[in-house]
Amino acid sequence: MTEGVPLTLSAREPYVPADRLVAEMVPPPRFDSVRFDTYVPDERQPSQRAAVTALSSFAAGLGGAAADRPTGVRRWFGRKQAAPTGPRGVYLDGGYGVGKTHLLASLWHAAPAEPERKAFGTFVELTNLVGALGFQQTVRTLSEHRLLCIDEFELDDPGDTVLVSTLLGKLVDAGVALAATSNTLPGKLGEGRFAAADFLREIQGLSAHFMPLRIDGEDYRHRGLPEAPAPFSDEVVVKAAYAAEGASLDEFPALLAHLAKVHPSRYGALTDGVRAVCLTDVGPVPDQSTALRLVVLADRLYDREVPVLASGLPFDRLFSEEMLNGGYRKKYFRAISRLTALARDAKGLAGQ
């Protein structure tokens, strides 16, 4: 990068080798330092503190017999012997913004195993790994792990659900402990969350291995915080992009068009080295396919704590009412929530 000239995301075409996909299956930078004792429960929601207690016990239960294979596998999952420490999988059930990812990452950190024997990734990253390595090699690779944490388990695509459920069945047989959060099924409106009963039904034969933990509460990203900052002018955004080291500068429509040319598994690599994202001409997302790609990018930016400075339309007006009332509503609200948090982080770039 030439000094003083911002990067352009829409000009990048990253390549991500399969071994990097495996090596990067750890909690993202935003959650690298989280632990159970850094989670701040909402005292009005007893289920949050109860979840911390239950997950701490679950993590502790992964020691001892977990280190012995295949004997430990037979103790945990054998049909003829009851698991002495209860279910060997846990599902975090709750709305967006209640801290499920924080708790899932805390579980990964607390599990008594070497980092290379624990894996953490989103459902999309897991399906991408299967695509890169093939099913059998993915099974062999992940079977060496003691714990697999899956964030944002997606049940929108029946084919992917069957694929991952089959994969998890193989991993259970190999003695891998499982933990997951999930997204909303199409048509599941209600609270904007995916119910535990539906999750357990979709993973069929694996349901007996999961202990559901309900986590109630409001979106912590906006708990007691001021309203999201209004968009800035194009002039302010461009000036900030040239002034900030490692900043990128893109017209929003051009970036959306470019995302269609880059596989979502590469969106993390797309932001490598980027310390701030500056966007001009932010406007309504034109269609659902584009909207879902933007959701993935928002997740990767949030994971990496990359502030987003923008001009144009406020982030809470990116998605149409039809989208916000449809089957993917939870994804869109999560994207709005995360982009709003990143917009707050970017205020300093504009001198505020």
Side-chain angles (χ1 to χ4, degrees):
M1 181 187 72
T2 303
E3 185 175 356
V5 178
L7 302 159
T8 304
L9 295 181
S10 53
R12 289 183 154 192
E13 297 182 4
Y15 167 73
V16 183
D19 57 353
R20 174 174 169 176
L21 294 177
V22 177
E24 290 186 344
M25 291 194 73
V26 298
R30 178 175 288 271
F31 299 99
D32 184 55
S33 62
V34 301
R35 299 294 186 273
F36 288 130
D37 60 5
T38 65
Y39 180 78
V40 181
D42 185 342
E43 296 303 331
R44 298 170 297 176
Q45 304 291 347
S47 62
Q48 294 188 8
R49 187 172 295 280
V52 173
T53 300
L55 286 170
S56 298
S57 297
F58 182 79
L62 298 179
D68 301 321
R69 295 190 186 194
T71 307
V73 175
R74 298 182 187 278
R75 281 201 294 270
W76 290 355
F77 298 105
R79 294 177 182 275
K80 297 181 180 180
Q81 297 182 21
T85 54
R88 304 305 298 184
V90 62
Y91 164 66
L92 308 185
D93 174 34
Y96 54 88
V98 296
K100 298 191 302 298
T101 302
H102 183 133
L103 291 173
L104 191 67
S106 298
L107 172 62
W108 186 93
H109 288 297
E114 301 83 357
E116 60 270 17
R117 296 191 66 191
K118 301 183 286 187
F120 183 106
T122 65
F123 180 90
V124 171
E125 289 169 330
L126 189 59
T127 58
N128 290 337
L129 185 66
V130 174
L133 299 182
F135 184 82
Q136 295 300 332
Q137 183 57 42
T138 301
V139 171
R140 286 192 290 270
T141 300
L142 295 181
S143 291
E144 297 301 316
H145 290 64
R146 296 252 302 273
L147 172 67
L148 172 62
C149 295
I150 308 169
D151 200 18
E152 301 158 14
F153 198 112
E154 296 186 1
L155 299 154
D156 317 306
D157 186 318
D160 281 347
T161 301
V162 171
L163 171 70
V164 174
S165 293
T166 304
L167 171 63
L168 297 185
K170 298 289 187 182
L171 297 180
V172 161
D173 290 341
V176 181
L178 307 173
T181 71
S182 72
N183 280 328
T184 312
L185 274 174
K188 295 290 182 181
L189 305 180
E191 301 174 67
R193 66 177 183 84
F194 178 65
D198 297 321
F199 173 81
L200 298 176
R201 182 180 64 248
E202 290 296 325
I203 61 174
Q204 300 176 9
L206 290 173
S207 62
H209 297 296
F210 278 86
M211 170 181 65
L213 290 176
R214 174 67 184 269
I215 307 172
D216 299 296
E218 63 185 38
D219 188 343
Y220 79 93
R221 284 179 284 268
H222 308 305
R223 192 191 304 163
L225 295 175
E227 291 297 319
F232 295 93
S233 67
D234 286 350
E235 180 182 6
V236 169
V237 172
V238 172
K239 182 179 179 181
Y242 276 85
E245 182 181 356
S248 65
L249 176 61
D250 292 84
E251 294 181 351
F252 188 65
L255 178 59
L256 293 183
H258 184 64
L259 291 180
K261 304 174 185 177
V262 179
H263 193 277
S265 66
R266 301 178 182 177
Y267 287 5
L270 188 70
T271 66
D272 281 352
V274 176
R275 298 173 63 178
V277 167
C278 298
L279 300 172
T280 59
D281 197 24
V282 171
V285 179
D287 57 74
Q288 188 149 265
S289 294
T290 304
L292 291 173
R293 287 191 288 268
L294 180 60
V295 167
V296 177
L297 179 63
D299 287 342
R300 301 292 81 77
L301 292 174
Y302 183 77
D303 288 345
R304 289 159 174 76
E305 300 181 293
V306 180
V308 179
L309 190 71
S311 68
L313 207 65
F315 287 135
D316 60 1
R317 293 169 58 190
L318 285 173
F319 307 108
S320 68
E321 286 299 317
E322 181 179 3
M323 292 178 185
L324 294 179
N325 288 308
Y328 300 109
R329 70 187 300 268
K330 181 177 178 181
K331 294 183 180 182
Y332 300 142
F333 278 111
R334 186 181 77 240
I336 292 170
S337 173
R338 291 184 165 185
L339 287 171
T340 296
L342 296 176
R344 289 197 189 102
D345 294 343
K347 292 178 68 175
L349 297 174
Q352 296 188 12

